[in-house]
Amino acid sequence: MSHTELIAQHGSPSAPQIEVRGVSKVYGPTTVLDDVNLTISPGEIHAILGENGAGKSTLLKVIGGAITATSGSLLLDGEPVTLGSPRDAIRHGITLISQELAVIPQRSVMENVMLGRWSHRAGFAHLAADRVRFDDLLDRTGFTLDPDATVGELPLGIQQQVEILKALARGARVLCMDEPTAALNDVEKELLLRVVREIADRGTTIIIVSHFLEEVLGLADRVTVLRDGKLIETNEASAYTPASIVSLMVGREVDPIDQPPAEVSPLAQTVVDVERLETRHVHDISFALREGEIVGLAGLVGSGRSDVLLGLLGAEPRRAGTIRIRGAEVKENSVSSAIASGMALVPESRKDQALLLGRSVTENVALGTLAQRSFGGWVRRRVERAEVSRVSADVDLRGVGPDTLTVDLSGGNQQKALFARWLLHPPALLMVDEPTRGVDVAAKARIHSLIRDLAARGTAVLVVSSELDEVIRLSHRVLVMRHGRIVDEFDRSARPSDILTSAFTK
């Protein structure tokens, strides 16, 4: 079934003109969007850029029906519409793909893609017809997905592909994408961007929020820049460079992100020693880190990078191997034992693996070291708030109050809050998985600085990132993984092409 035929089932094949008129969004004392006026043309790729907390994702969610504006209106082809939910938006041909994916992890790939759009014959599900539709989507996008695979067992990059296929199956005329490439490797990014361009060329409007400036400027037709909830400028993408965009986004000087880490002292002691670690997904892993050393784990999605971190933390059952922190063996295979020994993790998915979104910033930051501020079952709240305030300033959690709900933070501020959690009492080993996924240039520079500063204070750091340039910039050395094993090692002078060759072939 063609893309045109899919659209014809759910609405007009022509994408609407979208007008945002005087839209504001207020959470208590915080104004997230401030009188935004914007027109998006049918069939264009329109990028919304800005720092974390600038209001980009909020604006995207207003258009996608996930958030209701405090004031203002939304028009499609000149007609006012009320979008009280994503379902309302879908009925108008608008599909939102959020940064935090909305898949059903227990169900198969095809069940997720066809959710709510099953084919029927004589009142019964027509699975053969759905399989034909599914295969057509794969042919047109170039994705290679097993329709029977359980989504929750797939890497985030593959789950992103499932979300895009689901949107296409719904016949989206407007596709709102929040950080669509953040969890993808370079090959997957290139494929996705090609698909997005092809979808737009067929007439679908694409509204995209991303922090990959060069990537966006090469893809978008027009760009809108937000700062502190206000619309600063809208223009053709060809009018900008990454540097000029940063200047508009930030309005201040940004720290460089390519500073090398401090040299590791020749007298530095070994902090972590891993011998022949075996879990369900990693095999015979051995390495050591010294005080102040930053080591990167590189490899393709599914190579076992994240699984090494989960195995060290006790979140993935250890089948064999020995882990020592500062010479003491971590015998118990549990998260609590790992944390007590001096390990900490900033995980790949902050929503699913780290944050209590319905609780305050203070509660989330304090969570990792709660026992250290408790006495006789009582928490010393005054001490807690003072310490959280201190580390919040250290990570630059600007414009965020201590009682702000974590769910109301931007993705970048949520990520900074996770780093703040482990700054209260720095661990012996900090493991960070995709440390700057979904954050802007300024926030990325700040997070890199935090990692380097922690290392300079003696913490050993293990970094996983899909961005090879980021791994090389941050690390003293890089371990390359393939099929759950360490297959190569490079120093920081390595070229990305060398690491990719090992990741693909060794």
Side-chain angles (χ1 to χ4, degrees):
M1 183 178 295
S2 70
H3 181 69
T4 301
E5 291 170 331
L6 282 170
I7 289 176
Q9 290 184 0
H10 308 294
S12 168
S14 61
Q17 175 173 283
I18 299 171
E19 294 179 68
V20 177
R21 292 187 180 175
V23 164
S24 296
K25 181 61 181 177
V26 176
Y27 292 102
T30 304
T31 299
V32 181
L33 291 175
D34 189 356
D35 193 26
V36 172
N37 294 279
L38 175 64
T39 299
I40 298 173
S41 302
E44 77 167 321
I45 300 179
H46 196 108
I48 302 174
L49 305 178
E51 282 195 274
N52 286 108
K56 330 178 283 301
S57 294
T58 301
L59 179 57
L60 196 71
K61 290 175 181 178
V62 168
I63 297 171
I67 289 176
T68 301
T70 304
S71 60
S73 58
L74 182 69
L75 291 80
L76 301 182
D77 287 331
E79 296 295 325
V81 294
T82 300
L83 305 180
S85 69
R87 181 172 296 180
D88 290 341
I90 290 170
R91 282 198 291 266
H92 285 86
I94 302 172
T95 297
L96 173 66
I97 299 179
S98 298
Q99 187 174 339
E100 305 294 350
L101 302 181
V103 295
I104 302 175
Q106 299 86 2
R107 311 304 294 184
S108 72
V109 168
M110 194 169 85
E111 286 174 312
N112 272 271
V113 170
M114 298 302 173
L115 186 65
R117 294 293 185 272
W118 295 105
S119 300
H120 295 87
R121 176 179 291 174
F124 294 93
H126 191 8
L127 297 181
D130 287 325
R131 182 57 186 265
V132 171
R133 293 169 60 201
F134 180 84
D135 289 343
D136 176 71
L137 289 171
L138 292 184
D139 289 341
R140 290 189 294 106
T141 59
F143 294 161
T144 55
L145 297 176
D146 178 0
D148 300 317
T150 302
V151 169
E153 298 177 358
L154 300 175
L156 283 177
I158 306 303
Q159 293 184 28
Q160 175 75 65
Q161 296 181 16
V162 173
E163 280 280 70
I164 293 166
L165 289 182
K166 182 169 66 175
L168 294 178
R170 290 174 170 176
R173 299 184 293 140
V174 178
L175 196 57
C176 302
M177 309 181 76
D178 195 354
E179 298 293 346
T181 63
L184 307 185
N185 61 36
D186 291 342
V187 174
E188 292 168 332
K189 284 181 185 179
E190 184 178 348
L191 174 60
L192 175 62
L193 296 178
R194 176 180 61 78
V195 170
V196 168
R197 183 74 263 176
E198 290 177 356
I199 294 170
D201 288 344
R202 295 189 183 106
T204 300
T205 299
I206 308 292
I207 309 172
I208 187 169
V209 165
S210 177
H211 293 110
F212 297 96
L213 298 185
E214 291 185 2
E215 176 182 290
V216 168
L217 292 179
L219 178 70
D221 299 306
R222 289 197 302 153
V223 168
T224 289
V225 178
L226 300 180
R227 187 198 309 152
D228 297 329
K230 298 179 183 294
L231 193 150
I232 302 301
E233 188 171 293
T234 296
N235 207 339
E236 300 294 320
S238 59
Y240 299 108
T241 64
S244 65
I245 288 287
V246 170
S247 178
L248 288 172
M249 285 169 44
V250 179
R252 65 181 190 276
E253 186 177 349
V254 176
D255 294 333
I257 62 175
D258 57 355
Q259 294 181 5
E263 292 293 329
V264 178
S265 168
L267 302 178
Q269 300 295 309
T270 297
V271 172
V272 57
D273 190 5
V274 180
E275 295 180 4
R276 313 203 72 171
L277 177 66
E278 292 273 350
T279 71
R280 181 175 50 160
H281 297 296
V282 301
H283 314 290
D284 198 22
I285 297 291
S286 298
F287 61 88
L289 278 76
R290 295 185 295 158
E291 294 173 335
E293 187 176 22
I294 306 173
V295 172
L297 283 178
L300 304 178
V301 172
S303 63
R305 304 169 308 181
S306 299
D307 299 291
V308 170
L309 307 190
L310 295 176
L312 292 176
L313 194 71
E316 181 74 18
R318 191 195 324 163
R319 294 177 173 176
T322 303
I323 303 169
R324 293 184 178 86
I325 301 294
R326 296 196 181 280
E329 184 175 348
V330 183
K331 295 183 178 180
E332 186 180 341
N333 188 22
S334 69
V335 174
S336 59
S337 178
I339 292 175
S341 72
M343 286 188 265
L345 172 66
V346 175
E348 181 179 18
S349 177
R350 50 185 173 258
K351 172 186 174 182
D352 298 322
Q353 298 171 305
L355 294 173
L356 302 176
L357 296 177
R359 307 308 289 259
S360 71
V361 171
T362 296
E363 290 172 304
N364 271 280
V365 172
L367 186 62
T369 54
L370 189 61
Q372 298 179 42
R373 288 178 304 282
S374 301
F375 181 77
W378 295 89
V379 178
R380 295 179 292 171
R381 295 295 185 191
R382 183 177 299 177
V383 173
E384 179 176 272
R385 289 177 73 88
E387 291 188 354
V388 169
S389 178
R390 171 180 57 82
V391 295
S392 294
D394 289 343
V395 301
D396 194 26
L397 268 175
R398 294 181 298 118
V400 176
D403 298 320
T404 301
L405 293 182
T406 307
V407 70
D408 293 332
L409 300 184
S410 66
N413 277 335
Q414 289 181 356
Q415 192 75 343
K416 289 178 183 178
L418 280 182
F419 276 89
R421 175 184 293 174
W422 301 116
L423 283 177
L424 283 175
H425 295 276
L429 170 66
L430 177 65
M431 300 176 284
V432 290
D433 197 345
E434 303 292 355
T436 58
R437 175 173 169 245
V439 306
D440 61 63
V441 173
K444 177 179 284 192
R446 184 60 186 154
I447 289 171
H448 284 189
S449 178
L450 288 170
I451 291 172
R452 290 193 298 264
D453 289 349
L454 274 169
R457 292 158 60 182
T459 294
V461 184
L462 194 58
V463 177
V464 167
S465 176
S466 297
E467 295 184 56
L468 281 182
D469 286 341
E470 177 172 62
V471 172
I472 293 171
R473 280 198 301 265
L474 276 174
S475 306
H476 293 95
R477 55 193 174 98
V478 178
L479 305 177
V480 182
M481 294 196 63
R482 178 174 168 82
H483 298 317
R485 300 178 184 275
I486 294 174
V487 296
D488 220 334
E489 180 175 338
F490 294 91
D491 62 28
R492 68 184 321 270
S493 65
R495 297 174 301 177
S497 58
D498 296 331
I499 295 175
L500 272 176
T501 298
S502 289
F504 271 105
T505 63
K506 287 204 171 182

